Amino acid sequence: MKRFLEKLVEGALLLSGSITSITILLIVIFLFKEASGLFNSPVIEEGYVLGLNKANPVKDLNSYQIKQIFDGEITNWDEVGGKEEPIEVVRLSDLTKYYTEEELGASFENIPSKASELTSKHAGIILFLPKEYIAKNFNGTLLNHETLRPGDFFGGKEWYPTASPSAQYGLLPLLLGTIWVSLGAILLSLPFGIAVAVYLAEIASMRVRNFLKPLIELLAGIPSVVYGFFGLVVIVPFLQESFKLPVGETALAGSIVLAIMALPTIITVAEDAMRTVPRATKEASLALGATQWQTIYRVIIPYAKSGITSAAVLGIGRAIGETMAVLMVTGNAAVIPHTLLEPVRTIPATIAAELGEASAGSGHYQALFALGCILFLITMVISISIEFISKKKYN
Amino acid sequence: MTPIINTNNSDRKKRWSQAIAFTIFKLMSYSVVAILILILGFIVSKGIGVISWDFLTKAPEEGMTKGGIFPAIVGTLYLVLGSSLFSFPVGIMSGIYMNEYAAGSKIATFIRIMTNNLSGVPSVVFGLFGMALFVNTMGFGDSILAGSLTLGLLSLPLVIRTTEESLKAIDFSYREGSLALGATKLQTIRKVILPMALPNIITGLILSIGRVSGETAPILFTVAAYFLPKLPTGIFDQVMALPYHLYVITTSGTDIEASRGIAYGTALVLIFIVLLVNILANVLRNYFSKKVKTN
C-alpha cells in the first residue's frame, strides 16, 4: 500500500514536471495551426473578384502589385508584365462615371451586364467588384483564385491589414522595427550592464553590494506597462523637445525604455558569470604584479566571456519579446525605419494592438498568429543558443 | 637604472587607469540607482495626490476621468489568486521531481531545457496561445479561468526554478539521515526536505506574484475588460485589471488628458505592489537566513 502511494506520488510529480514541455508543444501546435491558413487566404477581400480585359496578357498579380495599382503607384500594365497600356481602375462606385443610374437599374440589376460590357470595351481596365455582380457570361478574365504567397508575407514591404482591395501583410517593416529597437536597446544597456556587473562582482564592498542588489531586483520587478507609462510621459516629450521632432514616439524612445528594462537581466547574468572565475586565477594575476583593473580586463572578463555573451543574448531576447512598453512609446507606424528618430512598430506591439480587432479566422487574424510564430521561433533560437553557449564553457 | 624609472612610470599609469576605470564603473552603477529613483520618484510624486480611500474603493466614473480603480484591484487580485492556484502546486511538484527524483538524469535535463525555453517565450505569445487554446478551443471565452491559466503557465518556470534551487541548497546529509532512520523517500521529502526549503520557496512564490500582477500582454485577449459596471461573480466572467487599466487609460481612453491623474494613481498602486512584494521577499529571506545561522 505504502509502495503504491509512493509510486502514485512519483507519477504525479513526473506529470507536473512534464507540463512545461507539454505547454511548449501546445504553443507550437496552436500557433502554427492558427497561422497555417494564412497562405490559403485570398489575396483580395473575401467575396470580391478582379476582372481584366480578355486581351490583357497579365494573368497573375501579387498582393503588393494589386495594392500599388489601386493606390495609383503603378499606372501602366507594362510595369507588371503586360503590354504598354494605361491602367484604368474601376471600383463598384466608379461605375456611375461610365453609366447613368438609370442604365444601372433602379436596384442595380443591370450592373453585371454593364460591368461585362465595360470590361470588354476598355483594354486597360482592372475591375474590382463583389462576386454577385459578375455575370455568368462575363466578357473578360477573372483573377479570383489567387491566394497569399509566402513571398507576400516574408518579403512584403508593407503592413497594412485594412488596405482595400488587397490587405498587406508584409513582415519586413515589423521585423526591421523590432531589430532596430532591440539593437538600440542592447547598445545602450550592454556597456552599462557590464560596468555595473564588474563593479558589483569585483569592486564594490559587501555593504554597497547589499544596497545595490535589491534595487536592481526592484528595477526588474516594475511592470512593463509602468515603464511604458513612464516612457510616454517623460522620455517621449523629452526626446521631442531635444531633437525638435514632430512626434516624440520613436524607435529611440523604445530603445531607451527597453535598455532600462533589460539592465537587470544583463547585470545579474554577467555578475554571476564573473563570480564563477576561480579565486586562484584571480590571485595568480594579482601575484604577477597586475593591478586589480588589469586583472579585471585581462583575466576576469575574458574568463567570463561566455557568461557575458549569454547576458547580451538574454537581454536581446527580452527586448525582442517586450510588448506593452514598446507599444506605448514607439508610435506604431508600420513603415520601414531609416533612423532611430522615426516611429516604428515591432512584432509584439503589432500583435497586441491588432488582435482585438481581427476577427477569428480572417486573414488578418492568421497573419498575427504568423507573427507570433516568428516571435516564438526567434526566442527559441535565443534560448537554444544560450544553452549552447553555456555548455561550451564547461567543455 | 633606466628600467626602474620606466617601471615607476608605468606603475603610476597603471594606478591612474585603474582609478579612472573604477570611478567610471562606480558612476555608472550609481546612475542605475538614479534611474530607479527617477522613475519611482516621478510616479510617487505625481500619483500620491491621487490616492485616497475613495480612489481605492470606488468604481471609475465619467469615462474613466473620475472615480476610482476598485474593480481593477479586485480583478488583479482574482487573477493573482487564480494563477497561483495553478502554478504553485504544479511548479513546486515539478521542482521536487527534478531535484529529488530525477536529479542529474536525462529527463531532468530535458525538463530544465524546456522550462528555460518556456521562460524565454514573450508574454504576448502566451496571450496568443491562451486565446487560441483556452478562450477559443476549450470555449472558456474571455474569462478569469482563461486569464488565470495563461498567467499560471507564464509564471510556472519561475516557480519551478525557485523550488529546484531551494531544494538543491539543502545538504545531502539530511536526506541520508532521514532515509537511514527508515523513512521512505516521500516521508523524507514531506517531513524533512520541504519544511527546510519552504522559506526560500515562499520567497520565490511571492516574487512570482509580483510578476503576475503586473503582466498585461497575456491578459489582453484572455480576460481583461475595458470597463465593467459590476464586479465578477464567477470564474467565467471578465474582469478589469490594474496593468490593463493603466494601458487603456493612457493610450485609448475617451479623454486621455483628463484621465492622466487616474493613470498616475494606477501606476503608483502597481509600483506599490511591486515594492511590497520585494520588501516582503527580502525581509523573509533575511529573517530565515538569520534563523538558519542561529540554529
Side-chain angles (χ1 to χ4, degrees):
Chain A
M1 187 62 205
K2 223 174 180 182
R3 290 261 308 265
F4 177 70
L5 188 72
E6 297 260 332
K7 282 278 159 217
L8 201 69
V9 171
E10 190 175 341
L13 294 175
L14 174 62
L15 194 69
S16 304
S18 60
I19 286 200
T20 49
S21 317
I22 295 172
T23 307
I24 296 253
L25 192 70
L26 284 176
I27 289 179
V28 172
I29 293 173
F30 274 91
L31 246 49
F32 282 86
K33 194 190 95 190
E34 299 284 340
S36 64
L38 181 62
F39 300 121
N40 290 323
S41 66
V43 159
I44 57 170
E45 269 172 69
E46 199 92 55
Y48 281 77
V49 288
L50 289 172
L52 304 181
N53 186 281
K54 265 211 175 118
N56 195 331
V58 176
K59 295 278 174 275
D60 185 50
L61 290 169
N62 70 30
S63 171
Y64 191 53
Q65 287 169 331
I66 297 171
K67 182 192 178 259
Q68 283 183 308
I69 289 172
F70 279 81
D71 282 356
E73 282 158 25
I74 292 180
T75 53
N76 201 301
W77 283 110
D78 61 3
E79 289 174 62
V80 288
K83 286 181 293 198
E84 155 75 51
E85 180 79 52
I87 297 178
E88 213 178 326
V89 174
V90 179
R91 292 168 187 261
L92 186 59
S93 56
D94 297 328
L95 284 176
T96 51
K97 287 182 203 156
Y98 301 90
Y99 300 100
T100 62
E101 278 177 33
E102 289 85 60
E103 282 175 303
L104 293 175
S107 52
F108 308 116
E109 67 274 12
N110 296 333
I111 287 184
S113 62
K114 294 296 179 195
S116 170
E117 181 187 301
L118 192 69
T119 313
S120 65
K121 275 189 195 158
H122 294 250
I125 197 171
I126 179 161
L127 189 71
F128 174 62
L129 283 184
K131 263 186 195 136
E132 60 264 30
Y133 288 133
I134 297 300
K136 280 217 173 67
N137 53 351
F138 181 72
N139 195 1
T141 326
L142 289 179
L143 302 177
N144 58 346
H145 305 299
E146 292 294 306
T147 54
L148 208 65
R149 274 164 280 205
D152 293 332
F153 177 70
F154 293 106
K157 293 192 192 65
E158 278 190 39
W159 179 269
Y160 193 0
T162 52
S164 165
S166 183
Q168 298 298 302
Y169 302 120
L171 172 68
L172 286 183
L174 308 181
L175 189 63
L176 287 173
T178 310
I179 292 173
W180 274 74
V181 173
S182 310
L183 269 186
I186 212 71
L187 287 179
L188 286 174
S189 70
L190 198 58
F192 252 90
I194 293 177
V196 179
V198 168
Y199 185 73
L200 285 177
E202 298 297 328
I203 304 168
S205 65
M206 202 58 193
R207 213 164 51 91
V208 173
R209 213 181 97 83
N210 284 345
F211 164 70
L212 284 175
K213 277 295 261 189
L215 290 185
I216 289 163
E217 228 170 69
L218 193 61
L219 207 58
I222 297 177
S224 64
V225 67
V226 173
Y227 276 112
F229 178 62
F230 177 77
L232 194 65
V233 291
V234 176
I235 295 173
V236 165
F238 174 75
L239 288 179
Q240 192 173 359
E241 285 279 304
S242 39
F243 289 100
K244 301 272 172 284
L245 300 170
V247 283
E249 280 110 338
T250 53
L252 183 60
S255 294
I256 293 173
V257 172
L258 280 182
I260 300 173
M261 296 178 71
L263 262 181
T265 313
I266 296 177
I267 293 172
T268 313
V269 178
E271 196 209 335
D272 284 347
M274 289 178 201
R275 288 195 171 274
T276 60
V277 179
R279 210 189 156 84
T281 317
K282 261 189 272 182
E283 280 169 355
S285 166
L286 293 171
L288 285 170
T291 61
Q292 208 183 345
W293 169 230
Q294 284 173 322
T295 308
I296 288 172
Y297 80 87
R298 287 279 167 80
V299 177
I300 293 174
I301 291 181
Y303 188 94
K305 213 165 57 193
S306 72
I308 294 172
T309 316
S310 299
V313 176
L314 260 177
I316 292 175
R318 263 210 83 171
I320 286 179
E322 177 46 45
T323 314
M324 301 316 290
V326 178
L327 175 63
M328 290 164 86
V329 301
T330 52
N332 296 321
V335 288
I336 293 180
H338 299 287
T339 72
L340 273 178
L341 294 174
E342 285 170 47
V344 291
R345 168 172 260 198
T346 66
I347 293 176
T350 305
I351 299 173
E354 293 179 4
L355 193 61
E357 62 208 42
S359 56
S362 67
H364 189 189
Y365 178 87
Q366 288 159 343
L368 292 174
F369 270 89
L371 289 183
C373 293
I374 302 273
L375 204 55
F376 180 77
L377 289 177
I378 293 174
T379 49
M380 278 297 117
V381 168
I382 285 174
S383 298
I384 291 166
S385 54
I386 288 173
E387 205 75 38
F388 184 73
I389 292 166
S390 50
K391 208 173 253 158
K392 219 165 102 185
K393 193 175 93 186
Y394 295 114
N395 289 347
Chain B
M1 291 306 278
T2 340
I4 293 170
I5 293 167
N6 268 351
T7 318
N8 277 342
N9 242 344
S10 75
D11 242 16
R12 196 177 305 151
K13 238 163 79 195
K14 276 200 301 197
R15 229 171 296 143
W16 263 105
S17 68
Q18 165 153 326
I20 292 170
F22 282 15
T23 313
I24 292 174
F25 287 173
K26 194 171 178 178
L27 283 177
M28 285 174 111
S29 302
Y30 280 96
S31 60
V32 172
V33 180
I35 291 171
L36 180 71
I37 290 172
L38 183 71
I39 296 175
L40 293 185
F42 181 78
I43 288 171
V44 171
S45 68
K46 292 269 192 177
I48 197 82
V50 183
I51 304 282
S52 66
W53 184 247
D54 278 357
F55 181 73
L56 297 175
T57 56
K58 281 203 168 141
E61 287 160 21
E62 296 175 34
M64 313 280 187
T65 58
K66 294 225 170 60
I69 53 168
F70 184 62
I73 295 177
V74 171
T76 291
L77 221 59
Y78 279 143
L79 290 177
V80 165
L81 198 70
S83 67
S84 306
L85 281 178
F86 171 74
S87 70
F88 287 2
V90 174
I92 292 174
M93 281 163 76
S94 174
I96 292 175
Y97 183 77
M98 281 166 75
N99 198 62
E100 301 299 321
Y101 286 86
S105 72
K106 280 213 173 93
I107 298 181
T109 314
F110 179 75
I111 294 178
R112 190 166 305 118
I113 290 175
M114 283 310 198
T115 308
N116 285 343
N117 280 349
L118 195 64
S119 72
V121 172
S123 55
V124 71
V125 172
F126 276 99
L128 276 176
F129 169 66
M131 178 184 178
L133 176 64
F134 301 125
V135 176
N136 294 339
T137 307
M138 293 172 107
F140 297 157
D142 279 359
S143 61
I144 296 179
L145 184 59
S148 297
L149 286 172
T150 311
L151 286 172
L153 286 177
L154 176 107
S155 61
L156 199 53
L158 191 59
V159 178
I160 295 178
R161 207 174 301 156
T162 320
T163 309
E164 204 196 343
E165 266 159 31
S166 313
L167 293 173
K168 211 182 273 169
I170 293 168
D171 200 85
F172 215 76
S173 58
Y174 289 100
R175 295 182 182 84
E176 283 165 346
S178 167
L179 292 173
L181 288 171
T184 64
K185 191 161 191 169
L186 189 58
Q187 283 169 330
T188 306
I189 292 169
R190 218 160 51 98
K191 298 261 168 75
V192 180
I193 307 298
L194 266 188
M196 288 183 75
L198 209 56
N200 280 328
I201 295 178
I202 289 175
T203 310
L205 297 186
I206 291 173
L207 286 174
S208 92
I209 285 180
R211 167 138 196 233
V212 164
S213 61
E215 280 291 346
T216 318
I219 58 171
L220 276 177
F221 317 112
T222 52
V223 54
Y226 177 69
F227 176 71
L228 290 172
K230 58 182 175 62
L231 293 177
T233 51
I235 57 168
F236 290 104
D237 283 357
Q238 275 189 288
V239 285
M240 293 171 72
L242 282 172
Y244 182 68
H245 192 65
L246 177 58
Y247 166 64
V248 286
I249 61 175
T250 42
T251 55
S252 57
T254 43
D255 187 348
I256 293 176
E257 284 309 313
S259 48
R260 222 358 79 91
I262 306 276
Y264 283 118
T266 312
L268 183 55
V269 172
L270 274 169
I271 292 267
F272 179 73
I273 293 176
V274 172
L275 273 177
L276 193 73
V277 155
N278 272 273
I279 291 171
L280 206 61
N282 273 311
V283 167
L284 265 180
R285 202 181 288 156
N286 289 338
Y287 174 72
F288 284 119
S289 67
K290 271 193 198 114
K291 214 173 149 192
V292 168
K293 261 180 218 151
T294 50
N295 279 0

